[in-house]
DNA sequence: AGACTCACG
DNA sequence: ACGTACGTGAGTCTC
């Protein structure tokens, strides 16, 4: 077991600072006490810059400042596992981490983006065949979990020092693996530069109008109560509307509604909205149940939950933007998920109106338009689709026009919608059956439709076939920038499993390339924005949309800068376009002409 | 802990 | 005749 030296005097701290100042690189890890996933207290820091030897400094916020000049020196490289957390812990103590160039969590993610977790205690055994102490062993888990702050310093020092030393060895191994798999450039030029950008977004957070949410949550409570009573009266039963099992009993056993043609889940007939909609005309309660479901969802997930996540010290919501979760390279958001805030319907607008700009500021949102389909056109090198995008055409109208051989201005809304469904479906590896369902046409019509589509967009047809082939040949697919997704299921003897893997194979290069482009745009914007408008902040990313908080008088120049930077983030065979909207809140926006 | 449902792109 | 398209996170019920 590696030795952990405890640094518990002024003299020892000074000596360690001197040693660190001489290093080309070191591993560090800040230990903090958390309360409800917020860091509340700094406990100490471990360091390592050679095998078999690490240091642990039990210290408070004030004492870590002894290391400030080291952490802020970009010439001394910093390695770690989950550096975004460490970046934030240091920022809390007044230190701006610089020179963070190797995060083993992100490296492990790029090497296998399908893994369940990237915990160090899972990673070390697979790479070195040795065990390290899991966090659980110190804090316990589940309801009995205690704070790290309640654990003895000696235990934490061994735990933290051991991890720092393991990370030091891990860096070499993972760097070589990244190189072998041609992922090193993506790691160095995209993921690592993105890390501080995400950290700043999390630290800045987004301002929430809690009063507005509280007002509408009271209203929603009353409405839910009223709807419930009506449903109970109509069904002559009082039951828990939130229980699909009870609802199933009432609808199909008590009321004897015929469930023929409805989808079945593992436990019985499905009661999801799409299925209930088919029963709309069989009973007056169905409509009310759908209304109840919709309101109840918004009430519990947003109106009720969001105010609870406002940080009392900043008055803002600080979500996590996770960099090592998705199989395709997208970000994810949690605690809360700010990437699924409602947008449709009246209540969606109300909830978005609670995402506000502080006084003197505006919310500015920039959306890539049709980025997935532009990526398809470019990756597939499809002549017709590229031409349409270069001409600045309404792509769905243009698709309809070409497929049915009619002038663009003769395309009806229905035809445009059908074309939209297939353009959309292409990126999912959609089959005729799904198209028939999605576009409301027969299976035969769908087959004909697809066949014509592939005649018009022959490049797309070939691209899809080549992508499938590549997945079979190599066992992985990749984005324009070399991000990979391994798909071992593609070799499954079970046809359904193999087919699922094929659809993933088709979707990943498209969704993933779009994600890469957005990440590049975010990095460029984060670098340039302070020079354009020093108090503007990038606060949210929703896959193809970036949201900013901008001082009133800077709106125009920020809009221009963001638009230009997003367009120039990557060089595709088609232009990258974006839409800019501005408003006092995320719910009341107006289009901005730039 | 897993199933179900549903919010988003 | 039929299981019904990609990627997420969260609230609730049930066991």
């Amino acid at each position: 077991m590696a030795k952990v030296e405890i640094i518990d005097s002024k003299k020892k701290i000074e000596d360690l600072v001197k040693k660190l100042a001489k290093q080309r690189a070191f591993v560090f890890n800040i230990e903090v006490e958390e309360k409800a996933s917020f860091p509340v207290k700094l406990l100490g820091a471990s360091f390592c810059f050679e095998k078999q030897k690490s240091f642990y400094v039990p210290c408070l916020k004030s004492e870590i400042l002894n290391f400030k000049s080291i952490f802020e020196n970009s010439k001394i490289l910093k390695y770690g596992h989950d550096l975004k957390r460490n970046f934030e812990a240091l920022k809390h103590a007044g230190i701006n981490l610089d020179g963070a160039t190797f995060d083993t969590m992100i490296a492990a993610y790029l090497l296998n983006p399908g893994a369940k977790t990237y915990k160090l205690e899972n990673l070390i055994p697979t790479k070195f065949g040795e065990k390290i102490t899991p966090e659980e062993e110190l804090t316990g888990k589940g309801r009995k979990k205690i704070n790290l702050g309640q654990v003895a310093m000696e235990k934490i020092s061994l735990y933290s020092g051991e991890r720092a030393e393991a990370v030091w060895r891990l860096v070499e191994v993972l760097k070589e693996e990244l190189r072998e798999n041609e992922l090193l450039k993506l790691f160095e030029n995209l993921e690592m530069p993105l890390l501080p950008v995400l950290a700043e977004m999390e630290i800045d957070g987004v301002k929430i109008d809690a009063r507005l949410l509280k007002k509408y949550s009271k209203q929603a409570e009353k409405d839910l109560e009223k709807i419930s009573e009506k449903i109970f009266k109509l069904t002559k039963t009082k039951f828990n509307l939130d229980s699909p099992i009870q609802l199933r009993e009432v609808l199909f056993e008590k009321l004897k509604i015929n469930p023929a043609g409805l989808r079945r889940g593992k436990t019985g007939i499905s009661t999801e909205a799409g299925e209930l909609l088919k029963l709309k005309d069989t009973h007056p309660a169905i409509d009310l149940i759908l209304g109840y479901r919709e309101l109840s969802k918004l009430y519990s997930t947003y109106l009720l939950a969001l105010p609870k996540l406002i940080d009392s010290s900043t008055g803002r919501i600080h979500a996590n933007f996770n960099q090592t979760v998705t199989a395709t390279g997208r970000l994810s958001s949690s605690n809360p998920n700010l990437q699924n805030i409602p947008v449709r319907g009246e209540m969606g607008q109300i909830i978005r109106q609670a995402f506000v700009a502080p006084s003197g500021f505006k919310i500015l949102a920039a959306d890539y338009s049709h980025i997935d389909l532009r990526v398809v056109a470019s990756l597939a090198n499809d002549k017709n689709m590229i031409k349409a995008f270069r001409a600045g055409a309404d792509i769905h109208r243009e698709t309809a026009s070409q497929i049915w051989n009619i002038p663009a201005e003769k395309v009806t809304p229905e035809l445009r919608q059908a074309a939209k469904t297939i353009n959309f479906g292409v990126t999912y590896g959609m089959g005729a059956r799904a198209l028939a369902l999605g576009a409301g046409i027969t299976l035969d019509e769908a087959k004909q439709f697809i066949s014509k589509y592939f005649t018009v967009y022959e490049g797309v047809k070939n691209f899809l076939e080549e992508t499938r082939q590549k997945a079979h040949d190599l066992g992985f697919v990749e984005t324009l920038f070399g991000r990979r997704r391994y798909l071992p299921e593609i070799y499954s003897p079970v046809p359904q499993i193999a087919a699922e893997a094929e659809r993933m194979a088709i979707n990943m290069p498209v969704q993933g390339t779009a994600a890469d482009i957005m990440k590049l745009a975010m990095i460029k914007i984060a670098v340039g924005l302070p020079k354009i408008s020093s108090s503007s902040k990038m606060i949210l990313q929703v896959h193809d949309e970036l949201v900013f908080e901008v001082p009133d008088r800077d709106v125009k120049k920020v809009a221009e800068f963001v638009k230009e930077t997003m367009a120039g983030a990557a060089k595709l065979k088609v232009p990258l376009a974006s839409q800019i909207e501005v408003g006092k809140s995320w719910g009341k926006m107006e289009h901005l002409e730039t």
Side-chain angles (χ1 to χ4, degrees):
Chain A
M1 159 106 60
K3 199 168 167 265
V4 184
E5 188 179 329
I6 294 179
I7 305 299
D8 55 0
S9 73
K10 223 175 160 187
K11 174 76 171 61
K12 286 181 190 168
I13 288 179
E14 280 169 21
D15 287 349
L16 180 57
V17 169
K18 278 181 198 160
K19 273 188 199 161
L20 288 168
K22 286 184 206 153
Q23 303 305 318
R24 193 187 69 84
F26 65 84
V27 167
F28 80 100
N29 186 41
I30 310 285
E31 301 299 342
V32 294
E33 182 176 343
E34 283 187 338
K35 219 174 207 157
S37 84
F38 279 114
V40 288
K41 191 180 167 199
L42 208 146
L43 300 172
S46 54
F47 297 89
C48 174
F49 40 83
E50 60 188 313
K51 284 182 190 173
Q52 301 301 314
K53 170 100 181 123
S54 62
F55 302 87
Y56 184 76
V57 190
C59 65
L60 303 171
K61 212 158 129 178
S62 57
E63 294 162 307
I64 196 80
L65 289 171
N66 287 303
F67 298 88
K68 184 175 161 81
S69 65
I70 304 286
F71 282 125
E72 295 189 345
N73 183 344
S74 65
K75 301 269 170 58
I76 307 171
L77 307 184
K78 286 84 181 179
Y79 305 158
H81 192 79
D82 196 356
L83 283 169
K84 178 151 63 66
R85 265 177 65 113
N86 286 285
F87 183 105
E88 288 166 8
L90 289 174
K91 184 85 171 194
H92 223 69
I95 296 170
N96 293 305
L97 180 65
D98 202 351
T101 60
F102 206 106
D103 187 327
T104 48
M105 189 165 89
I106 293 175
Y109 165 67
L110 285 188
L111 287 165
N112 180 19
K116 280 200 191 79
T117 81
Y118 300 95
K119 280 188 184 154
L120 209 51
E121 53 260 46
N122 298 35
L123 216 50
I124 294 296
T126 62
K127 300 295 173 188
F128 297 130
E130 63 192 45
K131 283 189 178 172
I132 62 163
T133 311
E135 192 187 354
E136 278 172 33
E137 205 167 302
L138 275 72
T139 60
K141 62 172 179 175
R143 282 193 301 123
K144 282 186 187 166
K145 189 169 178 183
I146 57 167
N147 282 324
L148 207 57
Q150 291 164 265
V151 177
M153 188 278 282
E154 288 74 16
K155 268 192 177 174
I156 299 177
S157 71
L158 285 174
Y159 160 83
S160 188
E162 177 186 53
R163 295 167 93 86
E165 198 274 342
V167 170
W168 177 256
R169 283 179 288 139
L170 200 52
V171 168
E172 290 311 308
V173 174
L174 294 182
K175 188 166 187 175
E176 193 44 44
E177 283 188 40
L178 288 172
R179 193 177 286 124
E180 283 166 9
N181 293 285
E182 292 175 52
L183 288 161
L184 197 56
K185 286 280 168 281
L186 185 75
F187 177 78
E188 289 176 343
N189 302 335
L190 197 151
E191 296 297 350
M192 288 311 298
L194 182 68
L195 186 151
V197 177
L198 298 180
E200 297 283 5
M201 278 170 61
E202 293 183 357
I203 290 165
D204 290 339
V206 54
K207 187 173 158 72
I208 299 293
D209 180 352
R211 272 185 44 206
L212 189 76
L213 293 177
K214 295 220 166 93
K215 178 180 149 193
Y216 282 101
S217 74
K218 288 211 182 81
Q219 184 60 49
E221 272 169 35
K222 285 181 199 157
D223 293 349
L224 285 170
E225 185 66 32
K226 274 189 204 154
I227 302 173
S228 304
E229 279 172 19
K230 278 191 197 162
I231 295 169
F232 298 153
K233 216 171 241 169
L234 282 169
T235 59
K236 301 187 180 69
T237 321
K238 213 163 182 178
F239 63 103
N240 185 352
L241 282 164
D242 294 325
S243 163
I245 295 176
Q246 291 182 37
L247 178 61
R248 192 155 58 210
E249 281 170 12
V250 171
L251 293 182
F252 306 118
E253 286 167 35
K254 183 150 192 308
L255 299 177
K256 308 218 185 296
I257 292 172
N258 182 5
L262 262 57
R263 232 162 43 84
R264 299 186 64 89
K266 281 180 186 170
T267 57
I269 303 154
S270 166
T271 65
E272 71 178 75
E275 301 306 303
L276 290 187
L277 204 57
K278 296 176 190 165
L279 305 175
K280 208 159 89 71
D281 300 326
T282 63
H283 198 280
I286 301 286
D287 249 349
L288 291 170
I289 291 165
L290 287 168
Y292 174 90
R293 278 260 179 90
E294 193 179 346
L295 187 57
S296 162
K297 174 80 179 182
L298 299 181
Y299 170 71
S300 62
T301 311
Y302 305 100
L303 293 175
L304 217 52
L306 287 177
K308 290 182 190 159
L309 289 157
I310 298 173
D311 182 326
S312 57
S313 62
T314 63
R316 300 166 69 99
I317 286 186
H318 304 267
N320 293 322
F321 286 97
N322 311 305
Q323 205 177 350
T324 59
V325 170
T326 71
T328 56
R330 273 186 175 185
L331 298 177
S332 85
S333 167
S334 56
N335 288 306
N337 181 356
L338 295 183
Q339 293 179 323
N340 74 345
I341 300 301
V343 63
R344 294 150 205 167
E346 221 173 299
M347 190 54 88
Q349 292 310 302
I350 287 167
I351 291 166
R352 287 206 171 201
Q353 279 167 35
F355 288 73
V356 294
S359 94
F361 286 75
K362 291 277 193 298
I363 297 293
L364 185 153
D367 262 72
Y368 270 125
S369 66
H370 301 125
I371 188 163
D372 283 17
L373 205 54
R374 285 174 200 263
V375 166
V376 169
S378 191
L379 291 181
N381 199 10
D382 186 290
K383 244 175 79 188
N384 271 338
M385 202 180 272
I386 289 173
K387 201 167 121 194
F389 276 121
R390 285 186 182 163
D394 171 342
I395 187 66
H396 304 313
R397 177 172 294 276
E398 186 59 28
T399 298
S401 155
Q402 295 212 31
I403 287 181
W404 290 292
N405 246 321
I406 50 177
E409 57 280 8
K410 288 265 175 73
V411 172
T412 63
E414 290 75 25
L415 289 179
R416 186 181 179 279
Q417 179 56 45
K420 186 177 174 179
T421 302
I422 190 168
N423 273 332
F424 200 58
V426 159
T427 64
Y428 294 164
M430 181 171 64
R433 200 172 300 136
L435 175 64
L437 198 78
I441 55 180
T442 69
L443 192 59
D444 275 349
E445 284 170 331
K447 280 178 183 163
Q448 275 183 21
F449 188 3
I450 289 173
S451 140
K452 189 73 212 293
Y453 184 90
F454 285 138
T455 320
V456 172
Y457 297 128
E458 208 192 338
V460 173
K461 180 191 164 88
N462 294 335
F463 167 70
L464 297 182
E465 199 35 61
E466 283 159 20
T467 304
R468 268 190 207 98
Q469 192 55 50
K470 180 170 176 167
H472 280 280
D473 291 348
L474 302 176
F476 68 85
V477 287
E478 60 189 342
T479 68
L480 185 60
F481 301 90
R483 182 190 305 278
R484 291 184 181 183
R485 178 177 186 177
Y486 290 89
L487 292 160
E489 315 314 313
I490 208 151
Y491 305 118
S492 169
V494 184
Q496 193 187 332
I497 303 287
E500 280 169 9
E502 278 196 357
R503 292 196 298 270
M504 293 174 194
I506 282 165
N507 176 254
M508 186 273 175
V510 179
Q511 191 182 113
T513 300
D516 292 345
I517 293 169
M518 179 55 105
K519 286 175 168 180
L520 287 168
M522 291 172 76
I523 294 164
K524 290 188 179 187
I525 289 169
V527 169
L529 189 59
K531 288 172 254 173
I532 302 288
S533 167
S534 61
S535 47
S536 282
K537 287 168 183 162
M538 180 156 63
I539 54 176
L540 299 172
Q541 189 253 41
V542 193
H543 311 305
D544 61 358
E545 174 184 17
L546 292 175
V547 181
F548 302 84
E549 203 177 87
V550 181
D552 294 334
R553 59 187 172 81
D554 292 349
V555 163
K556 197 159 177 251
K557 57 182 179 179
V558 169
E560 277 166 11
F561 165 71
V562 166
K563 192 155 186 154
E564 250 173 58
T565 312
M566 285 172 76
K571 198 97 193 101
L572 295 189
K573 294 181 171 114
V574 295
L576 287 172
S578 65
Q579 299 268 341
I580 308 270
E581 302 207 297
V582 179
K584 203 46 219 172
S585 76
W586 203 14
K588 277 203 168 131
M589 310 273 282
E590 278 185 26
H591 185 256
L592 186 81
E593 225 42 78
T594 54

